[in-house]
Amino acid sequence: MTYTASNIAAIIAPETNLSAPDAPIEHLLTDSRKLVVVGTTLFFALPGVQRKGNLFIPQLYKAGVRHFVVDKSPVAEDYNDAVFYTVPDVLGALQSLAVHHRRQFSIPVIGITGSNGKTVVKEWLYQLLHPDFNIVRSPKSYNSQVGVPLSVWQMEEQHTLGIFEAGISKRGEMRALENIIQPTIGVLTSLGEAHSEGFSSLQQKLEEKLGLFQNVDTIIAPPLWVEAGNKVFTWGEESGSTMQVLQKKVTINADVVCLYKDSELHFQLPFSDEASIANGLTCCSVLLHLGYDAATINERLATVHRIDMRLQLAHGAGGSTLINDSYSADLTSLQGALNFLAQQKKGEGRTVILSDFVESGKGAVELYDAIAQALVQHRIDKVVAIGSGISQYLPLQLPDGMQLQAYPDTESFLATLRTASFAGETVLIKGARHFRFERIVTALETKVHQTVMEINLNALAHNLKGYQSLLQPGTKTMAMVKAFSYGSGSSEIAATLQFHGIDYLGVAYADEGIELRKAGISVPIMVMNADASGFAALVEHSLQPVLYSFAILRQFEAYLEGQGLTGYPVHIEIETGMHRLGFAIGEIEELSTMLAASRWIKVQSAFSHLAASEDAAQDAYTLEQAAIFTTAANQLEKSLAYPFLKHISNSAAIIRHPQLQLDMVRLGIGLYGIEIATESLELQPVATLRSTIAQLKRLQAGDTVSYGRRGVIKEETLVATVRIGYADGYSRRLGNGVGKMWVSGHLAPVIGSVCMDMTMLDVTKIPGVKEGDTVVVFGAELPVQQLADWCGTIPYEIMTGVSQRVKRVYFQE
């Protein structure tokens, strides 16, 4: 369904002056970084935590966007042919437009809410029902006040069923979402403590969630949360449930016996964990309500697969970068995967490997034409098509300039695979489950051992937003990505931070900054420890050095003069009490004179380091440092004829000393989820270090373990040898019972000395341990702070000490 500019104006802003009332509007945009289609996009300038959407209008206008929804129109002369729909509430306008759009359709719509399981139930219902319906559904976890209207906007005439999820964080939010989704069937998955900060009680949260169902024909939910009635379908073990669970037998799978309409039904769920069983029974209830019989439900359940909501980013052979999305093949998830691909700036080309797609209600020509359009919009260079359908139809839709390779099946592709043909590329691997594209991922991945560091890019973004929520409007943010981003991987972390609008990046040495530039990072980069031997490379890659002494200042000025470069951006470090690097307060007068007279450099910022901002006992010293810095910075400012940024706050100071935020703050270890102040910001751990058990041995009293025979067995003991050692960054200080690892939900102590490549654990009291089981070295289950305490050190040392031979795997929901 295509709207025109006059349609949009009539719905949200009737007073809008339109120069081209018939201009088509097809795409809604709230995030300037995700612009794909220029000519038919309408941008909603939503207010943000740090930046208002209006700030991104210039770059979008330059890119070709001409339609904007704003709460205040910019100067018209700057945008001659643009249309500004001026409204009092931009989010309200987005939601009103979605409400109008939803009312154009009379198809059944399933609305899903709950504390957990919303996205899984939505995706499983899609898998179970798509043979019979042309389904429109929320992309990934689009369940917020912004995500829901964007999801509903996808509805088109060909759709016969909608499945949308709704998430809330405080009272009053569900009313707007109900009005947008207008569900006919309501599903409540669960009720728990997740996202409960905005509610005074669980009952209040329940009442808010049930607001989604005020106009539905049927509610499907556990009986604990809803009252019985004509329009309620309950499932659970409780007597009187519409579908009563009588028996559950759980092995590798779950066999569940239920009583429904006086008949016993048997369901075979291909999962064994409680959460998946509950989500599966919710889906069974929906299908029973829709009239499906048990035989059909079981036939469909056999094809259901786990929903891996993570797009995994890993290093491939030949310097390639792999995006593993090898579990689904549909248009909605393809758009999300292509958007993630567009975030990655490195690589010589963009390649996608795709299997056959299936979309109920779409003919093959229409389906592959839509896929081809998405590939063109995201500037894909090469396509590998695997499957009979995609090999037949996609070549007819692709433009001549796009490379195409076609194979009838995955085996044919693997038989002819040359990893060198993907060297340097960013490769998206996306296919339906039965094509088993995980084999392609394995073939293309860099071969390393089984110890991996998983990096959660969603957690990184969450932590960044958490800190930014504490900042004063206009305060900029510099993220420190030195030391391989505290062990997490520089270019991948930097690309995510750049995507989320970071103002500056900070590195220790020029070679770190050069690697970021080669990876496509374009934001300003400050180099903390520049030296004369690296000036040429620093300038070549537009890196900004820190000048901390008269010697380095004179050397850099001499280099610039020799190159004929003027006004080069630099940063001035001021010594206030760290006693490491920087100009002392007694040198500021002379420094001011030199900087004011220099035509070769231009100061971008002046800064200093706080020595103990996390320690309440040192608050007086912290404030003394801040006073010294203020004096020095003011003196510099008086001498220079232009403004510059001032910054002194680190992660801890952002929380504990908000008055010191100044023009910019520097985020370090806190960005990676390490709480370094007593006040909690509910940070999420970014890195999880995992390994696996190589072998199990049962030893007897008197046996010894590892070098030096320091691990003495006192009674019969089951010992697990884990594939990690001090060459991977697991400190020898953790040997002989000092350290522990997380195995099957329990802490297992280290026995004997830590070896170079292996470490032994006592797993005697942990049930069901098997060779090949995953072991968590640190992560959410075992915080890195705990390892640091055991070692008598700080989390920085643990994080940065993880060896480069440990593979980093990046993922994003």
Side-chain angles (χ1 to χ4, degrees), residues 797-809:
E797 182 180 344
I798 303 296
M799 292 278 291
T800 59
V802 178
S803 166
Q804 293 301 295
R805 81 175 186 179
V806 173
K807 178 174 70 171
R808 272 70 172 175
V809 176

Side-chain angles (χ1 to χ4, degrees), residues 73-253:
S73 296
V75 178
E77 290 76 11
D78 297 335
Y79 308 97
N80 290 327
D81 54 345
V83 177
F84 292 98
Y85 305 82
T86 305
V87 298
D89 177 4
V90 176
L91 176 60
L94 172 64
Q95 294 178 340
S96 295
L97 183 58
V99 169
H100 174 88
H101 184 65
R102 168 67 181 90
R103 288 175 179 165
Q104 310 311 304
F105 304 92
S106 58
I107 62 174
V109 169
I110 301 174
I112 306 172
T113 191
S115 299
N116 302 103
K118 296 185 293 294
T119 302
V120 171
V121 168
K122 177 200 69 187
E123 292 298 320
W124 283 353
L125 285 176
Y126 171 78
Q127 293 176 36
L128 293 164
L129 294 171
H130 82 81
D132 306 313
F133 295 92
N134 187 338
I135 300 173
V136 56
R137 72 194 195 280
S138 310
K140 297 292 184 178
S141 298
Y142 272 39
N143 57 35
S144 67
Q145 298 290 307
V146 175
V148 169
L150 294 179
S151 300
V152 169
W153 182 255
Q154 298 176 114
M155 297 179 78
E156 297 287 350
E157 289 90 342
Q158 68 267 24
H159 292 128
T160 57
L161 176 68
I163 309 177
F164 301 111
E165 55 178 290
I168 53 172
S169 58
K170 60 185 180 181
R171 294 189 68 184
E173 288 187 335
M174 191 60 85
R175 178 179 298 177
L177 300 187
E178 189 279 333
N179 199 26
I180 298 168
I181 297 173
Q182 300 169 38
T184 58
I185 299 173
V187 175
L188 177 62
T189 59
S190 63
L191 190 68
E193 294 301 327
H195 315 295
S196 293
E197 299 83 3
F199 303 96
S200 60
S201 66
L202 207 59
Q203 180 61 33
Q204 187 184 81
K205 183 178 181 181
L206 172 63
E207 292 171 359
E208 181 70 18
K209 287 187 176 296
L210 291 177
L212 179 62
F213 308 141
Q214 58 185 355
N215 294 306
V216 299
D217 299 324
T218 303
I219 301 173
I220 297 171
L224 185 61
W225 308 119
V226 292
E227 296 180 2
N230 292 333
K231 69 173 189 176
V232 175
F233 184 119
T234 59
W235 72 267
E237 297 180 0
E238 293 82 355
S239 176
S241 298
T242 311
M243 184 183 79
Q244 183 183 359
V245 178
L246 302 177
Q247 180 182 343
K248 285 189 290 187
K249 182 180 179 182
V250 181
T251 54
I252 297 175
N253 299 319

Side-chain angles (χ1 to χ4, degrees), residues 16 23 34 37 177 223 311 473 540 660 766:
T16 305
K34 297 181 179 178
V37 181
L177 300 187
L311 288 167
E540 179 185 353
L660 303 183
I766 302 176

